[in-house]
Amino acid sequence: MKKNRFFYNRWAGSSSGRNYVAALLLFSCTIAPLHVANAQSQTPEQVPVFRTCSSTATANDQEVAKSLFTAGKIAYDEGDVSKAIRYWLDAFDRDCSAVKMLLNLANAYERTGNQEAALLSLNTYLQRRPDANDAKTIQRRVEVLKQSVAQKPPPVPASPPSSASPPAEPVKPPPSPAPPSTTETATSSTVLPWIVTGTGGAVALTGVIVYLSGSSKLSSVEENCPNNRCTSPVFSEEGNTARSQKSLGLILTGTGAAVATGGLVWLLLSGHSNASASSAQGVRFQPHVGIHYGGFLAEGRF
């Protein structure tokens, strides 16, 4: 049985290289699998694309390439040839000076049946190392692979779809939503101002009640404290509470009145903006204020 040989430049065969492989086993099994994502675009079933080696790999890229080579060797020994190809593709992409890696790739591609990729790997090796000691041996392998590729039957083209199949039905667009009616628009533009006006009126009425209650309590305290002199601290505390209540009542009354006024102004403005929709069916309220009267006019169309 032929023994597999693995290459990574002169590093793989040296004694320091063997020690380095042992030190990188843990790195290869944990961190190196993350780097294989860089070669995911080239799958073992495809013919690889080897970039032009126009620059020298950095020290960091060389270290990572060595770890990826070790991880690929482990995967190859375990029978996972596809994973080994991915590791070695990434290692060669990081350190293109490691041309011996192409021989590993050629062996792995032959095992997966991808003879075109194996042939390209060997030809690339001969192009980049034409004076290699094993150039004649590699050339003989290239000739054998060329004959095997030439004898492979051409791929069967995919059959066109049958013309007897019924044509697909056109997709009907969804119905467009109906536009909102003018009645709903006019109603919504008058309801909100009424809500604001009513809320302001309620707040103002609450303020009046709070103010009157505070005034009543303060009057009672003043009866027990003539000339602002109270015989008991209880009366003083009640007087302070009553004054605070009156102040709160004034604040609530003023705030509510302002909100109610704003609601009325909004209602008047919305009545003018909806003049074009006055012919719509429904009931519409409008405030009417005169010198001797005030009220609201209800107008409806049915």
Side-chain angles (χ1 to χ4, degrees), residues 96-109:
C96 59
S97 64
V99 291
K100 288 284 188 179
M101 191 76 66
L102 293 168
L103 302 180
N104 299 335
L105 286 168
N107 293 334
Y109 278 126

Side-chain angles (χ1 to χ4, degrees), residues 113-190:
N114 192 345
Q115 295 179 338
E116 292 83 356
L119 183 60
L120 177 62
S121 302
L122 295 177
N123 280 329
T124 305
Y125 174 77
L126 292 176
Q127 292 172 3
R128 300 190 183 186
R129 289 293 184 272
D131 55 346
N133 296 331
D134 55 352
K136 293 183 179 180
T137 303
I138 300 302
Q139 186 62 44
R140 286 195 294 268
R141 289 184 60 188
V142 168
E143 296 301 328
V144 173
L145 281 174
K146 283 183 178 180
Q147 294 178 3
S148 298
V149 171
Q151 294 174 359
K152 290 178 64 175
V156 179
S159 58
S162 175
S163 58
S165 59
E169 296 183 359
V171 180
K172 297 181 180 180
S176 58
S181 62
T182 55
T183 304
E184 295 178 356
T185 305
T187 302
S188 61
S189 63
T190 55

Side-chain angles (χ1 to χ4, degrees), residues 190-199 263-264 266-267 285-287 296:
T190 55
V191 168
L192 290 179
W194 277 112
I195 293 176
V196 174
T197 303
T199 303
L264 290 174
W266 185 5
L267 186 63
F285 295 90
Q286 288 185 346
F296 296 94

Side-chain angles (χ1 to χ4, degrees), residues 219-235:
S219 299
S220 177
V221 171
E222 289 177 349
E223 291 178 358
N224 296 317
C225 299
N227 298 325
N228 293 329
R229 294 180 180 179
C230 299
T231 58
S232 173
V234 176
F235 295 133

Side-chain angles (χ1 to χ4, degrees), residues 17-187:
R18 286 190 293 270
N19 294 334
Y20 193 75
V21 169
L24 283 175
L25 286 178
L26 180 60
F27 177 84
S28 304
C29 295
T30 56
I31 300 177
L34 299 177
H35 295 283
V36 77
N38 296 334
Q40 288 291 343
S41 58
Q42 301 190 58
T43 62
E45 295 78 16
Q46 297 175 334
V47 177
V49 177
F50 301 118
R51 64 180 179 87
T52 304
C53 191
S54 58
S55 60
T56 304
T58 62
N60 181 63
D61 283 339
Q62 291 179 357
E63 296 298 324
V64 175
K66 291 174 183 178
S67 67
L68 290 170
F69 163 76
T70 305
K73 182 179 181 300
I74 294 174
Y76 191 93
D77 291 340
E78 293 177 351
D80 196 344
V81 183
S82 297
K83 182 181 291 186
I85 291 175
R86 291 191 178 94
Y87 278 124
W88 289 338
L89 281 174
D90 197 10
F92 187 67
D93 185 67
R94 292 175 181 272
D95 185 6
C96 59
S97 64
V99 291
K100 288 284 188 179
M101 191 76 66
L102 293 168
L103 302 180
N104 299 335
L105 286 168
N107 293 334
Y109 278 126
E110 281 193 272
R111 284 192 58 180
T112 60
N114 192 345
Q115 295 179 338
E116 292 83 356
L119 183 60
L120 177 62
S121 302
L122 295 177
N123 280 329
T124 305
Y125 174 77
L126 292 176
Q127 292 172 3
R128 300 190 183 186
R129 289 293 184 272
D131 55 346
N133 296 331
D134 55 352
K136 293 183 179 180
T137 303
I138 300 302
Q139 186 62 44
R140 286 195 294 268
R141 289 184 60 188
V142 168
E143 296 301 328
V144 173
L145 281 174
K146 283 183 178 180
Q147 294 178 3
S148 298
V149 171
Q151 294 174 359
K152 290 178 64 175
V156 179
S159 58
S162 175
S163 58
S165 59
E169 296 183 359
V171 180
K172 297 181 180 180
S176 58
S181 62
T182 55
T183 304
E184 295 178 356
T185 305
T187 302

